[in-house]
């Protein structure tokens, strides 16, 4: 059994760790509220914009399609994994890295795959394999639509130039503080609407549908990427809050066990001292 000093040092260390994890939990909880409000407010707009774009695209002839909907033989693929810049958030980052690795190894095996990393954890994971062509982790320093739009414009330019035949984004979709769902979304080319073609005969378009779509597509793609990053940002704080909550509970349990061990060891030491005193007194009397 460890001596009393060692146990006291461990109790002090665990208590300090518990204070840190508890503080990090409260900080993440405060940031989560703001991030959750932001993604909840923009999600309906982004979904409706995408739905409108797909419905309009489905009514056009193939010859009048946009340069962003061009279907090419898939040879070069660009994956955009969205992680965080910091750790201590459970499986948040590892889930994205595993899904991205699955796409590289299984889904696009034999293809030329490149990475545009959003988040230092993604950059660290894939830069060792020399797959990263751009690191956009600094976007989290000032997360605004304008800064995300610059990344989206870069992705669109690479697709139009023919550098990549398909672009996908991988991110954590925010559900609640304890639950995040790993999503893989096709960014380019634009996914055609599934099922029956939407009925747009009751609408008068001014200007033409083609011109409207040409204006909507860049805005829709920028919004899609911004939504993914916002989802990931909220998921990060939710995952970190949950992880720090569990870490605090574990530290509390460990501290209580150490205190119990300390009290037992202290009681045993006191008992031994009493026995030694009694034994010494008996020896003197004899």
């Amino acid at each position: 059994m460890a001596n009393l000093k060692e146990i006291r040092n461990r109790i002090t260390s665990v208590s300090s760790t518990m204070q840190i994890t508890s503080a990090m939990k409260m900080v993440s909880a405060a940031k989560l509220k703001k991030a959750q409000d932001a993604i909840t407010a923009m999600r309906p707009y982004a979904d409706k914009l995408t739905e409108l774009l797909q419905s309009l695209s489905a009514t056009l002839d193939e010859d009048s399609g946009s340069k962003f909907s061009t279907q090419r033989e898939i040879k070069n693929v660009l994956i955009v994994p969205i992680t965080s810049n910091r750790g201590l958030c459970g499986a948040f980052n590892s889930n994205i890295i595993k899904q991205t690795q699955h796409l590289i190894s299984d889904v696009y095996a034999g293809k030329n795959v490149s990475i545009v990393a959003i988040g230092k954890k993604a950059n660290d994971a894939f830069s060792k394999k020399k797959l990263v062509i751009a690191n956009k982790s600094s976007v989290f320093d000032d997360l605004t639509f304008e800064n995300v739009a610059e990344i989206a414009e870069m992705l669109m330019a690479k697709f139009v130039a023919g550098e990549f035949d398909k672009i996908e984004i991988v991110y954590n979709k925010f559900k609640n503080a304890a639950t995040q769902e790993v999503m893989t979304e096709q960014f380019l080319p634009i996914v055609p609407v599934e099922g029956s073609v939407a009925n747009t005969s009751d609408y008068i378009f001014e200007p033409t549908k083609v011109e409207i779509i040409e204006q909507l597509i860049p805005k829709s793609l920028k919004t899609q990427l911004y939504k993914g990053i916002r989802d990931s940002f909220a998921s990060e704080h939710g995952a970190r809050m949950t992880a720090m909550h569990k870490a605090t509970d574990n530290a509390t349990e460990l501290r209580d066990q150490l205190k119990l061990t300390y009290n037992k060891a202290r009681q045993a030491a006191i008992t031994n001292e009493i026995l030694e005193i009694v034994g010494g007194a008996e020896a003197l009397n004899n």
Side-chain angles (χ1 to χ4, degrees):
M1 180 180 291
N3 59 43
L4 293 177
K5 183 177 180 181
E6 291 176 349
I7 297 175
R8 280 199 304 269
N9 289 339
R10 290 192 63 191
I11 291 174
T12 302
S13 176
V14 171
S15 297
S16 299
T17 301
M18 186 176 65
Q19 291 177 352
I20 294 172
T21 56
S22 180
M24 292 181 66
K25 171 191 170 184
M26 289 187 289
V27 170
S28 292
K31 291 182 177 180
L32 173 63
K33 181 63 171 64
K34 184 177 180 180
Q36 182 178 354
D37 291 343
I39 186 58
T40 302
M42 79 161 294
R43 190 177 285 164
Y45 169 78
D47 292 342
K48 193 64 179 178
L49 184 60
T50 301
E51 177 187 342
L52 175 62
L53 181 62
Q54 290 178 340
S55 297
L56 287 174
S57 299
T59 65
L60 296 178
D61 298 329
E62 292 184 2
D63 296 336
S64 59
S66 167
K67 58 186 177 182
F68 296 112
S69 59
T70 304
Q71 301 289 333
R72 298 191 287 260
E73 181 184 356
I74 299 176
K75 295 180 180 179
N76 302 303
V77 180
L78 180 63
I79 302 176
V80 185
I82 304 173
T83 62
S84 66
N85 287 339
R86 298 184 297 140
L88 298 177
C89 47
F92 173 83
N93 291 313
S94 62
N95 286 341
I96 297 298
I97 293 171
K98 287 179 182 177
Q99 176 63 15
T100 304
Q101 188 59 53
H102 166 68
L103 294 175
I104 296 171
S105 304
D106 301 329
V107 179
Y108 298 117
K111 312 293 183 184
N112 296 321
V113 180
S114 301
I115 299 289
V116 169
I118 299 180
K120 291 181 180 178
K121 295 300 179 180
N123 181 64
D124 293 343
F126 296 105
S127 59
K128 299 175 183 177
K129 301 178 181 179
K130 302 187 184 301
L131 296 175
V132 179
I133 62 172
N135 178 17
K136 299 298 181 179
S137 304
S138 59
V139 70
F140 289 111
D141 297 336
D142 185 18
L143 185 52
T144 62
F145 181 81
E146 289 74 17
N147 290 336
V148 174
E150 293 179 3
I151 302 176
E153 288 172 356
M154 178 196 71
L155 299 178
M156 288 185 280
K158 289 183 177 297
F159 178 81
V160 172
E163 294 183 36
F164 298 100
D165 306 309
K166 190 174 184 180
I167 300 177
E168 292 200 306
I169 58 176
V170 183
Y171 66 96
N172 280 294
K173 182 178 180 180
F174 178 81
K175 287 193 170 182
N176 54 56
T179 307
Q180 300 86 36
E181 180 183 1
V182 177
M183 300 292 294
T184 301
E185 287 185 0
Q186 183 168 316
F187 187 71
L188 285 169
I190 295 173
V191 182
V193 66
E194 297 180 357
S196 59
V197 176
N199 181 15
T200 59
S201 59
D202 295 335
Y203 298 94
I204 298 174
F205 295 96
E206 179 63 34
T208 64
K209 283 189 287 187
V210 175
E211 291 176 300
I212 292 175
I213 288 176
E214 289 294 338
Q215 294 177 13
L216 275 180
I217 285 177
K219 185 174 184 178
S220 176
L221 291 173
K222 294 173 185 177
T223 303
Q224 181 185 355
L225 182 60
Y226 185 58
K227 179 178 72 70
I229 294 178
R230 271 292 177 189
D231 253 319
S232 180
F233 190 64
S235 297
E236 175 193 350
H237 291 303
R240 182 171 290 110
M241 187 184 75
T242 302
M244 292 301 99
H245 176 73
K246 291 181 179 179
T248 302
D249 289 345
N250 292 337
T252 302
E253 181 180 352
L254 179 58
R255 184 195 61 181
D256 293 342
Q257 291 176 352
L258 287 172
K259 284 185 176 180
L260 181 60
T261 302
Y262 175 80
N263 290 334
K264 288 181 178 179
R266 182 170 175 271
Q267 186 64 46
I270 293 173
T271 302
N272 288 335
E273 289 178 2
I274 293 175
L275 290 176
E276 290 175 359
I277 293 172
V278 172
E282 289 293 333
L284 291 175
N285 291 333
N286 293 333

